[in-house]
Amino acid sequence: MDEPRHERTLDGDTRASLPRLVSDLNFGSFVSITTSICRLGLSGAETASYRNLLFMHEILTLQLGHRANYLATHFWNTQESYFNYDVASEPSLIDHDIHFRPGQGPGGEDTYTPRTLIYDLKGGFGNLRKWGGLYDQGDVAEDLKGIWNGSVVKQQEAPITQSRYQRALDEGLEKVPKLSSQDVRYWSDFAHVFHHPRSIVQINDYELRSTLLPFEKWTSGEELFSTLDKEHDLLDRDIRPWAEECDQMQGIQIFAGADDAWGGFTSRYVESLRDEYGKTSLWFWGLEEAGAHGQNTKQSLRTVNIAQSLQAISTLVSMYIPMALPSILPQYVQLDPNSPWHVSGLLSTALETMTLPSRQKPGNSKRGLLSDLEAALNVNGNQKIADLQCSLIVDPSSQQTRTKSSAGMATDSRIRVLDGQGLVVQEDDMENAKSRLDMDFSSGKPSQTALSLRQWDKANHVFGKVESIRGLPTSQQESDEAISRKRRRLASLPNVEKYVYSLARHRPIETVADHALPRYYHPLPYPLLDSFPEIFANTEGATKAPAIHGSLSTTTWISKRTQGLQNMVSRMVNVADREALSNGLGEIVEAYEEGWDSGSDEDTD
């Protein structure tokens, strides 16, 4: 007679301590605890929650285009800086396996490379070799003759010289040359990490900065993807090998231009991804040129491209975040708007801060998966476009007053400061509870004077919001929360509901009222590396790792911006495409107006 099965192998104390056990897993305990969880007799939701703690939740990155690769290079340099090689120090709070994959080089040595795919046009990789330093194959001989028995003349372009900075990194020098905008010709000139050969995808159909055949029209990107996919099946060749290495893929983050042909390329790529990975989180970070909206030919083309990207991509992805250099910069930002190295550096501070919760270690209370962030932002199910904002929190004693703007960029004097008692905000902010940060990366916002911002706050409604604050000591985090509650009370705003999952009780606690918007706090400040441009005041000194406050929000502003695009492109596109594009944008407008009435007539304000 068979022995009876014992379904409940963990006692109550062990069951309650599972979150702590998860944080110290090795492979053996991973298998035993996974098996035990399956036998606990928990509900489906409870089992899923514990499995979410156990698996790594990898994130795959897609870098599409030259501007996207500048942004991604800053991102990967920052991730590499979180590695802690001192065994005696505190372990890192970051789960590196989420963004990096272990492997072996040709000589059997261990490697650890980013989970990413890098697409760029011919000439866009600079001096980066496909095989890289970890998988160097030397000079791979090519059979130039093939079936041709005649003479062969080999023509080869002069190789791009390696930058002084890269040479110093390769030689392992402790002190590397200081970078400048003139030194950074390509995104590979300031890259720290090695990439797997599978990550490098060069597109030879177009050449970078070509004037004869520019890669600018949105339809050119669509056609290019269709051609390549027909020849190679891009998902099978490029995506599937990476996805199959993941235990439980958390999502795919996509960096790409939204105002050029890469928007069309991305739209077709995302369509294929959504068909193949229907429930996977897809986050699109859409890069736009500052001041892209206008009436001249190039600006009109970019405006139409933005509208087409917004209409086509936002319906397929989980979140769509437009990113452009703010028209108004705070006093502590001094950058060259014509330098992609500078601009992408600023954008990366906000992007890296807002995605930081998604790469925390399992069991960490500061962890927030991409799906968690989506749930807080997309409250009505059809609001997938979010507004990205960011501020540096700096010590006023180290802040130097500057009166000149950098390279003609407008600046203002607003600054989030930190004194001995905690976070301090401007008095005019106290009458509204919305955390108005210094930099807004959505294009098209009005000039941020105090008057216009108060009117703006009054006329716009926030549907969902997530904040990420990094680099503050615990005592000042508590002060920040107290100030936030006070600001909301002064504004007479309703409570914000938050759902909290109790790991000890194995079920969601009922909704609790809170005066603060959902926030993630992290002790890690933002590291300003030697590869990062000196765009923040006093970065060459004490402020080498500033505290940063970032936010993503879904607001009625998105409806107004989309409606403005709808009105502009109706005069720019041909009749055949006008109706479908206009109707698609109209649906986005309605999604951010549904159930909301500001109670005022804008025309009379």
Side-chain angles (χ1 to χ4, degrees):
M1 184 175 179
D2 294 336
E3 291 291 329
R5 294 178 61 192
H6 299 281
E7 297 294 334
R8 302 177 183 272
T9 59
L10 298 184
D11 58 25
D13 292 338
T14 306
R15 178 173 172 166
S17 64
L18 272 173
R20 178 179 56 80
L21 295 174
V22 165
S23 63
D24 298 319
L25 285 179
N26 56 39
F27 183 76
S29 59
F30 173 88
V31 173
S32 61
I33 293 178
T34 303
T35 304
S36 299
I37 285 177
C38 294
R39 295 177 178 175
L40 270 174
L42 304 177
S43 69
E46 293 168 344
T47 301
S49 297
Y50 283 125
R51 286 175 63 84
N52 283 344
L53 287 174
L54 288 168
F55 290 103
M56 287 193 294
H57 289 284
E58 301 90 343
I59 296 176
L60 177 61
T61 302
L62 270 178
Q63 306 169 205
L64 305 178
H66 205 61
R67 282 183 300 165
N69 290 331
Y70 268 93
L71 177 65
T73 299
H74 284 295
F75 177 83
W76 292 119
N77 287 353
T78 305
Q79 303 317 303
E80 192 265 348
S81 73
Y82 295 143
F83 292 163
N84 188 349
Y85 301 102
D86 186 358
V87 294
S89 62
E90 290 291 324
S92 173
L93 298 175
I94 302 299
D95 185 353
H96 303 300
D97 289 330
I98 288 177
H99 282 290
F100 287 80
R101 61 173 293 278
Q104 282 192 334
E109 65 276 11
D110 292 333
T111 63
Y112 206 46
T113 52
R115 302 180 189 271
T116 190
L117 280 161
I118 307 171
Y119 289 75
D120 213 330
L121 305 181
K122 182 180 179 182
F125 288 91
N127 69 331
L128 183 70
R129 294 169 293 175
K130 178 176 178 62
W131 296 102
L134 296 180
Y135 297 85
D136 199 349
Q137 301 293 308
D139 295 328
V140 180
E142 295 180 320
D143 185 3
L144 298 176
K145 291 188 176 184
I147 60 174
W148 172 252
N149 294 321
S151 61
V152 174
V153 177
K154 182 179 177 180
Q155 293 184 342
Q156 184 172 346
E157 294 182 2
I160 297 172
T161 58
Q162 194 176 34
S163 66
R164 294 184 303 122
Y165 182 81
Q166 282 295 327
R167 283 199 302 271
L169 290 179
D170 288 348
E171 294 169 4
L173 301 181
E174 289 188 12
K175 188 173 182 180
V176 296
K178 183 177 178 180
L179 279 170
S180 67
S181 296
Q182 291 71 32
D183 296 323
V184 180
R185 306 154 299 170
Y186 303 91
W187 53 266
S188 57
D189 285 336
F190 64 98
H192 279 193
V193 300
F194 291 110
H195 292 285
H196 192 278
R198 285 203 320 253
S199 290
I200 310 300
V201 184
Q202 178 171 286
I203 295 176
N204 295 313
D205 302 62
Y206 290 85
E207 190 167 357
L208 185 69
R209 305 188 186 100
S210 172
T211 56
L212 296 176
L213 189 63
F215 195 56
E216 294 177 348
K217 292 184 178 180
W218 202 82
T219 52
S220 299
E222 278 191 306
E223 294 166 0
L224 176 62
F225 180 87
S226 298
T227 300
L228 295 176
D229 195 45
K230 187 176 181 179
E231 293 178 3
H232 306 290
D233 192 341
L234 294 183
L235 255 63
D236 269 347
R237 187 192 72 177
D238 297 342
I239 295 290
R240 204 176 307 281
W242 294 93
E244 289 177 350
E245 291 179 345
C246 300
D247 288 334
Q248 186 177 358
M249 188 163 61
Q250 179 182 162
I252 300 174
Q253 61 179 6
I254 305 166
F255 307 150
D259 59 356
D260 56 15
W262 286 108
F265 188 91
T266 303
S267 71
R268 298 300 301 272
Y269 213 140
V270 167
E271 187 177 343
S272 297
L273 288 170
R274 184 52 76 201
D275 288 341
E276 184 71 19
Y277 305 99
K279 296 183 178 180
T280 301
S281 292
L282 302 179
W283 280 51
F284 175 67
W285 302 83
L287 298 168
E288 302 175 10
E289 289 283 351
H293 304 282
Q295 298 299 322
N296 67 44
T297 303
K298 192 163 187 177
Q299 287 177 326
S300 297
L301 178 60
R302 289 191 176 278
T303 300
V304 172
N305 289 341
I306 290 170
Q308 290 177 305
S309 294
L310 194 67
Q311 183 267 333
I313 299 174
S314 66
T315 59
L316 296 169
V317 296
S318 307
M319 290 306 302
Y320 183 116
I321 302 100
M323 300 182 74
L325 182 65
S327 57
I328 302 292
L329 290 174
Q331 197 174 29
Y332 56 81
V333 176
Q334 306 288 310
L335 58 73
D336 178 4
N338 298 314
S339 168
W341 178 50
H342 278 205
V343 174
S344 59
L346 180 63
L347 298 181
S348 71
T349 60
L351 181 152
E352 208 279 329
T353 296
M354 285 313 304
T355 57
L356 187 58
S358 66
R359 47 186 164 273
Q360 302 293 306
K361 285 185 174 178
N364 192 334
S365 62
K366 304 174 181 65
R367 192 187 199 193
L369 302 181
L370 295 179
S371 57
D372 298 328
L373 306 184
E374 293 161 20
L377 292 167
N378 188 9
V379 293
N380 293 329
N382 57 353
Q383 296 162 332
K384 301 179 179 180
I385 306 169
D387 184 12
L388 176 65
Q389 296 183 356
C390 178
S391 281
L392 262 69
I393 305 171
V394 299
D395 185 344
S397 64
S398 66
Q399 175 67 14
Q400 295 179 349
T401 301
R402 299 195 181 194
T403 58
K404 294 183 180 180
S405 63
S406 64
M409 292 294 295
T411 61
D412 68 5
S413 59
R414 292 177 298 109
I415 187 168
R416 291 179 67 80
V417 297
L418 192 65
D419 67 2
Q421 305 302 317
L423 192 64
V424 179
V425 297
Q426 300 291 344
E427 287 299 319
D428 70 318
D429 282 348
M430 297 297 288
E431 65 184 62
N432 69 81
K434 298 166 186 172
S435 296
R436 186 196 311 132
L437 304 184
D438 294 342
M439 292 173 282
D440 194 311
F441 296 97
S442 292
S443 61
K445 288 286 180 73
S447 299
Q448 298 181 14
T449 63
L451 178 61
S452 69
L453 283 170
R454 283 196 292 268
Q455 293 172 339
W456 192 261
D457 290 332
K458 184 178 179 181
N460 282 277
H461 173 70
V462 176
F463 295 102
K465 188 169 187 177
V466 174
E467 295 185 341
S468 178
I469 301 175
R470 64 189 303 170
L472 287 184
T474 303
S475 60
Q476 286 154 349
Q477 293 177 16
E478 296 169 353
S479 176
D480 187 26
E481 289 180 313
I483 290 174
S484 178
R485 290 193 293 270
K486 180 179 178 182
R487 296 167 72 198
R488 295 188 66 82
R489 288 197 298 271
L490 289 174
S492 300
L493 289 185
N495 294 339
V496 176
E497 293 183 341
K498 296 170 66 178
Y499 287 91
V500 181
Y501 190 84
S502 172
L503 290 170
R505 294 166 59 182
H506 315 299
R507 63 181 179 85
I509 300 175
E510 62 186 30
T511 304
V512 294
D514 194 348
H515 290 282
L517 290 166
R519 286 179 172 175
Y520 293 90
Y521 287 92
H522 319 275
L524 287 172
Y526 185 81
L528 298 181
L529 311 173
D530 51 33
S531 62
F532 193 86
E534 291 183 358
I535 58 175
F536 299 131
N538 285 342
T539 56
E540 190 177 8
T543 317
K544 273 295 184 185
I548 295 180
H549 184 172
S551 77
L552 282 171
S553 59
T554 49
T555 71
T556 50
W557 148 246
I558 294 162
S559 171
K560 298 170 186 176
R561 184 206 187 212
T562 307
Q563 194 165 37
L565 276 175
Q566 185 183 27
N567 294 335
M568 292 180 68
V569 300
S570 63
R571 304 186 299 270
M572 297 175 179
V573 298
N574 58 55
V575 177
D577 300 329
R578 184 180 304 163
E579 183 176 359
L581 181 57
S582 181
N583 290 343
L585 293 174
E587 292 176 4
I588 295 174
V589 171
E590 292 174 2
Y592 288 86
E593 288 179 340
E594 184 177 353
W596 163 247
D597 182 6
S598 67
S600 65
D601 186 354
E602 285 188 49
D603 294 333
T604 61
D605 286 346

